[in-house]
Amino acid sequence: MNLVPFLIPFYPNKNFFNKTINFLKKNKIKDIELGIPSNYAYLDNCFIRKIYSKILKKENIKNLIKKIFKYFSNLKINIILVCYFETVLFLNIKNFFQKLNKNKIKKIIIVDINLKIYKKIKVFLKNIKIIFLFPFLYNEKKIFKKIKKKSKYIYLYLEKKKLKKNIIKKKSIFFKNKKIKVFIGFGITRKKIKKFRFFYKIVIGTYFLKINNLKKKKIEFKKCLKLN
């Protein structure tokens, strides 16, 4: 199963979030991306930024992190944490990664990570794998050179450009040959899933988040699974 839903903790409310998680588990979804709210979420779209802003007006980030760890401690679902480096700094780099290791979170996407940041945090990673973020059309060889020996995971995010099938397949083949596992996301809708089925994981984010009717959400997700 290579479909990964992106969720925001307890959005739009805890009851709806609980039902969504239960539904995903029943459909054998093993991984979810969980976005940690940030006031500096410059790479996210305005829909997600507004949700983050609303959450942070009501909730202290430290309390929210505690609630997340408590909530997911007994759930058999893998969390891929998504955050910005300012959140890691605010929570203290060492303490942040200690908590992640303690709570068995094995993958993290730090959206604005660069080599300087990586050098600061790598001593604290232990069992945590970094997923490096790159634009989809960024040169494959340059990506491989940048992440070599640092991680076997990358996330290619889509830009607002039309992509030919041969480019998509070429990317997939290159990284498979290098034994790199590629996540693909940003703007993936049901219509686009088939195009990217060659990749390790397909992330559906805003498209999935915007459906606030649980019945409709379930129907739409099942349609996505059939294409997967």
Side-chain angles (χ1 to χ4, degrees), residues 124-137:
F124 305 113
L125 292 176
K126 294 186 180 177
N127 299 318
I128 301 163
K129 305 295 181 190
I130 294 281
I131 302 171
F132 286 89
L133 206 65
F134 292 97
F136 187 86
L137 292 173

Side-chain angles (χ1 to χ4, degrees), residues 1-122:
M1 185 73 65
N2 67 340
L3 211 59
V4 179
F6 171 82
L7 301 176
I8 294 171
F10 316 119
Y11 173 81
N13 56 61
K14 195 169 182 180
N15 184 44
F16 190 94
F17 187 79
N18 287 341
K19 288 176 180 177
T20 303
I21 292 290
N22 290 334
F23 166 72
L24 294 173
K25 282 174 70 183
K26 282 177 187 174
N27 283 275
K28 298 179 182 177
I29 293 296
K30 292 180 180 177
D31 305 281
I32 64 163
E33 263 192 22
L34 197 67
I36 302 301
S38 168
N39 285 317
Y40 303 93
Y42 66 91
L43 202 60
D44 290 286
N45 60 44
C46 60
F47 176 78
I48 290 173
R49 287 200 302 269
K50 280 178 184 176
I51 297 169
Y52 283 174
S53 181
K54 281 180 184 177
I55 291 170
L56 291 172
K57 280 176 185 174
K58 294 177 184 175
E59 185 81 79
N60 177 294
I61 192 69
K62 288 184 180 178
N63 291 338
L64 181 62
I65 293 286
K66 281 179 187 174
K67 286 180 184 178
I68 290 166
F69 289 150
K70 188 178 178 181
Y71 182 87
F72 285 99
S73 59
N74 297 316
L75 288 179
K76 290 182 180 178
I77 197 161
N78 299 320
I79 302 299
I80 302 161
L81 216 59
V82 186
C83 67
Y84 286 78
F85 189 58
E86 58 91 19
T87 305
V88 181
L89 277 175
F90 178 74
L91 296 168
N92 182 286
I93 297 172
K94 186 179 177 180
N95 290 346
F96 179 75
F97 285 104
Q98 278 179 345
K99 283 175 184 174
L100 260 59
N101 276 299
K102 187 180 176 183
N103 287 276
K104 296 177 182 177
I105 290 173
K106 294 177 181 177
K107 294 187 185 80
I108 183 169
I109 299 167
I110 299 174
V111 176
D112 48 351
I113 195 169
N114 55 38
L115 292 178
K116 277 187 180 178
I117 291 171
Y118 179 77
K119 284 174 185 175
K120 280 184 183 179
I121 66 171
K122 69 176 181 179

